[in-house]
Amino acid sequence: MTDIRLEIRLDRLAENFRLIREAAGPGVRVLAVVKADAYGHGMIPAARVLEREGADFFGVFDLDEARLLRGHEFTTPILVLKGVRPDQAPEAVESGASLALFTSEAARALSRASVEAGMTTRVHVKVDTGMGRLGVPASEATAFCRETAALPGLAVEGLFSHFSVSEEADHPLTRRQEELFARVLDELPVRPPLVHVSNTGGVLNRLSLPLDMVRTGIGLYGCMPGPGLAGAERFLPVMRFSTRVHFVKTVPPGATVSYGATFTSSKKSVLATLPVGYANGLFRRLSNRGEVLIRGCRAPLVGNICMNLAMADVTEIPGVTAGDEAVLLGEQGGDEIRADELAQKAGTIHYEILCSLGRSNPRDYTGGPPDEETNDPAAGG
Ligand SMILES: *Cc1c(COP(=O)(O)O)cnc(C)c1O
């Protein structure tokens, strides 16, 4: 039995997908975002579940991720959210994926490469309505769509934009983004088949005009993009992170703990040393802030978190012994530590907590068909 367990509950991923599908409404397609190794949950196992549940599209970040999916014989179409540079056009055409598009240079290069390969490349024109990251400015979007549609070898399959503050129910920037996007849609001579704007926050906050597709990531993995979202309690976290108490000792008052001696016991205390640290994705910022569940009770993490070790004060929890399970993320007994709690204490967002833990530990898949309940020891590092 390994000391560290990053459990990925595939049955919950499937259930969360069904909830998103329901929230999106009848006839609306669901693009499942599996970028960044499915937010740390493992892209291939997650994609297997999501394809089986009927995801209409996979959203990946770049061509490398698209190729990885392609190597596993999925039939679900793929959208490359980042788009491509002009010099990547030949490999992009070859990938067979749909591509975000927002520069004339990329459009022309893709057109040329598609004609040369005797293929049609599907593109989704990305409109920047206020996110300020990727996309053609809203004021130029109509002309850009017209130019793109006229290029040989390209098919404008989609038109999309991305919200900047979708986790808030009613934000002026969101309304502005919707207006700009609606205007582009209005001006287009031909509406592309797949128009999409909402991410998880957009779906659950019921933002945006009724469109053809939603793009959802964080909700699939059981986290809410923000507080107070409708039906939030029905979504269940997919990731659970635990370890086993390695060593228990009693210390006198005045004992210091870990590098920098940032914790000193105020009384006779019982400390449990856990074999997890920042090398396992446990943010060092949680030092003297985070908590861990042991025997169903919360114990504070005391002293600085080390590379592979962290200490918990278990004075108030009777009977803690080496080998006891210690949960850093997820449920134990009647209590639960959620990713957003960790994020708040670590000064980050839960997306980063999931990516960090997923990237740093082998994953143990449960709740799926027997052939998918495999460890992936290769996933570490
Ligand atoms: C990551 C991403 C999403 C998913 O957002 P969530 O908040 O995780 O639902 C949707 N659209 C784009 C363009 C993205 O980059």
Side-chain angles (χ1 to χ4, degrees):
M1 185 169 45
T2 54
D3 272 353
I4 293 176
R5 182 159 189 242
L6 189 73
E7 186 187 0
I8 307 293
R9 303 168 72 159
L10 297 173
D11 49 338
R12 290 184 165 197
L13 177 62
E15 179 57 20
N16 293 334
F17 178 86
R18 287 176 218 134
L19 292 172
I20 291 279
R21 154 96 60 222
E22 193 181 299
V28 178
R29 281 174 237 220
V30 179
L31 176 147
V33 181
V34 294
K35 69 190 178 194
D37 216 7
Y39 294 35
H41 295 69
M43 183 159 69
I44 301 305
R48 280 205 195 101
V49 170
L50 295 162
E51 179 162 287
R52 191 163 51 235
E53 289 301 318
D56 298 287
F57 254 92
F58 288 139
V60 300
F61 177 61
D62 59 13
L63 287 175
D64 290 338
E65 291 183 345
R67 265 191 295 267
L68 226 148
L69 277 181
R70 242 192 113 196
H72 284 79
E73 298 176 353
F74 292 105
T75 55
T76 308
I78 298 168
L79 175 61
V80 176
L81 297 165
K82 173 199 189 194
V84 295
R85 285 191 318 269
D87 61 284
Q88 296 174 307
E91 48 176 322
V93 168
E94 170 61 24
S95 79
S98 298
L99 309 164
L101 181 73
F102 43 88
T103 69
S104 306
E105 293 77 12
R108 284 196 297 271
L110 286 169
S111 168
R112 232 176 359 253
S114 302
V115 170
E116 263 168 40
M119 293 166 74
T120 300
T121 301
R122 293 176 304 278
V123 296
H124 290 224
V125 171
K126 176 144 202 193
V127 186
D128 185 0
T129 53
M131 177 70 178
R133 191 170 66 168
L134 300 174
V136 59
S139 57
E140 298 163 25
T142 315
F144 181 77
C145 285
R146 204 175 287 128
E147 276 166 39
T148 304
L151 290 170
L154 297 187
V156 180
E157 178 184 50
L159 182 80
F160 76 114
S161 192
H162 193 43
F163 287 130
S164 167
V165 278
S166 66
E167 70 279 9
E168 289 184 35
D170 192 29
H171 195 283
L173 179 53
T174 306
R175 280 199 299 277
R176 173 90 187 127
Q177 290 192 268
E178 289 188 311
E179 276 165 27
L180 286 172
F181 192 72
R183 201 173 306 157
V184 175
L185 260 184
D186 267 357
E187 287 169 5
L188 280 184
V190 186
R191 181 188 160 115
L194 294 176
V195 178
H196 46 106
V197 185
S198 283
N199 54 1
T200 304
V203 183
L204 298 177
N205 269 324
R206 309 215 166 280
L207 304 175
S208 100
L209 349 144
L211 298 173
D212 310 309
M213 185 160 82
V214 298
R215 305 182 306 269
T216 176
I218 196 79
L220 294 176
Y221 308 107
C223 295
M224 286 297 105
L229 287 174
E233 68 294 338
R234 297 167 66 204
F235 289 80
L236 296 175
V238 174
M239 186 183 283
R240 184 176 188 271
F241 184 52
S242 62
T243 184
R244 303 249 159 220
V245 171
H246 188 59
F247 168 57
V248 183
K249 65 172 183 286
T250 302
V251 297
T256 63
V257 175
S258 192
Y259 293 117
T262 58
F263 176 84
T264 306
S265 60
S266 57
K267 57 179 194 285
K268 183 179 167 195
S269 302
V270 185
L271 301 180
T273 301
L274 311 174
V276 286
Y278 54 80
N280 309 104
L282 187 65
F283 281 48
R284 189 170 178 277
R285 189 87 202 285
L286 292 168
S287 302
N288 295 308
R289 287 196 177 91
E291 289 176 326
V292 56
L293 296 171
I294 301 175
R295 297 192 167 226
C297 302
R298 280 177 182 252
L301 290 172
V302 293
N304 278 333
I305 292 171
C306 308
M307 191 176 288
N308 294 113
L309 295 167
M311 277 57 75
D313 185 340
V314 295
T315 312
E316 306 303 324
I317 310 174
V320 174
T321 330
D324 281 356
E325 185 192 51
V327 175
L328 293 125
L329 173 70
E331 303 138 22
Q332 191 197 59
D335 203 350
E336 177 176 12
I337 294 173
R338 290 233 176 193
D340 47 6
E341 177 187 332
L342 288 182
Q344 203 170 26
K345 289 179 175 165
T348 179
I349 53 173
H350 42 2
Y351 294 74
E352 193 182 12
I353 298 282
L354 300 180
C355 287
S356 174
L357 292 175
R359 171 167 73 228
S360 313
N361 300 287
R363 289 167 290 228
D364 180 10
Y365 292 95
T366 61
D371 58 318
E372 285 171 27
E373 287 195 4
T374 47
N375 297 329
D376 67 339

